[in-house]
């Protein structure tokens, strides 16, 4: 099957998925890029975006994720990855937006809410971050990083006893 030449898009997609599943992201991206350019298949676009990310081709991954968003197919995982790309570029406004979209799709997703809170902190929007961090530790009481940052925000708000309790919980969970 690997010796087949992709003479049509269906074959290219099948081979692309085969390479993708084998974690051969170079060949997967090469085969999936053409069909994905005019596709509204979320799985195809997701595989291409992941392939680009694995290859360190962030700008191409970003373009595919934005294409997915534009046709209303963005998944929580794709939006989290989009946020990560924006975060790495220090575009915290766009990161917060992507994480917010992910949280809107899955309101009980601790990672989406936590990442959004981190972006809000970077944007100096502590009041909004505080509400989200309190929600995050309700969703996942073992997320030490959230407890740490909750302690920071409580300290900034002069909520000393709350801050101490949050820092203690973070310490108990192994955050130093």
């Amino acid at each position: 099957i690997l010796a087949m030449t992709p003479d049509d898009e269906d074959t290219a997609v099948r081979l692309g998925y085969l390479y993708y599943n084998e974690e051969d992201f170079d060949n997967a991206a090469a085969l999936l890029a053409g069909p994905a350019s005019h596709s509204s298949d979320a799985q195809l676009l997701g595989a291409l975006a992941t392939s680009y990310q694995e290859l360190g081709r962030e700008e191409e991954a970003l373009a595919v994720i934005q294409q997915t968003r534009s046709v209303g197919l963005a998944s929580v995982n794709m939006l989290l990855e989009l946020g990560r790309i924006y975060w790495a570029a220090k575009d915290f406004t766009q990161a917060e937006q992507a994480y917010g979209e992910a949280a809107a799709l899955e309101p009980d997703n601790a990672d989406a809410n936590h990442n959004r809170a981190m972006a809000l902190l970077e944007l100096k929007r502590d009041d909004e971050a505080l509400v989200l961090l309190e929600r995050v530790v309700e969703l996942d009481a073992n997320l030490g990083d959230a407890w740490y940052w909750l302690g920071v925000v409580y300290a900034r708000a002069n909520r000393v006893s709350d801050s101490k309790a949050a820092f203690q919980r973070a310490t108990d969970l192994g955050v130093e």
Side-chain angles (χ1 to χ4, degrees), residues 57-127:
R57 295 163 58 181
E58 299 291 333
E59 292 205 12
E60 289 162 294
L62 181 61
V64 172
I65 294 169
Q66 288 173 332
Q67 175 186 350
T68 304
R69 275 171 95 192
S70 72
V71 294
L73 296 173
S75 68
V76 170
N77 288 338
M78 289 188 87
L79 290 165
L80 288 172
E81 187 56 33
L82 179 61
R84 189 196 67 74
I85 292 168
Y86 282 129
W87 182 277
K90 299 198 182 311
D91 186 342
F92 302 114
T93 300
Q94 291 294 325
E96 187 272 329
Q97 183 179 350
Y99 293 138
E101 287 179 37
L105 289 175
E106 282 185 21
D108 292 340
N109 185 307
D111 290 334
N113 285 294
H114 179 257
N115 291 346
R116 182 173 182 220
M118 296 297 93
L120 288 166
L121 288 174
E122 290 291 336
L123 295 169
K124 310 290 188 235
R125 292 165 53 189
D126 286 11
D127 290 343

Side-chain angles (χ1 to χ4, degrees), residues 41-56:
D41 181 328
Q43 183 179 359
L44 172 61
L45 294 168
L48 181 59
T50 300
S51 295
Y52 284 149
Q53 292 160 9
E54 291 293 330
L55 295 168

Side-chain angles (χ1 to χ4, degrees), residues 9-20:
E9 285 194 352
D10 289 338
T11 303
V13 169
R14 282 194 295 275
L15 282 172
Y17 280 133
L18 182 66
Y19 283 120
Y20 177 80

Side-chain angles (χ1 to χ4, degrees), residues 144 147-148 151 161-175:
W147 283 105
Y148 172 82
S161 63
D162 290 333
S163 178
K164 285 181 183 178
F167 283 133
Q168 183 60 54
R169 180 70 177 137
T171 301
D172 292 346
L173 291 169
V175 176

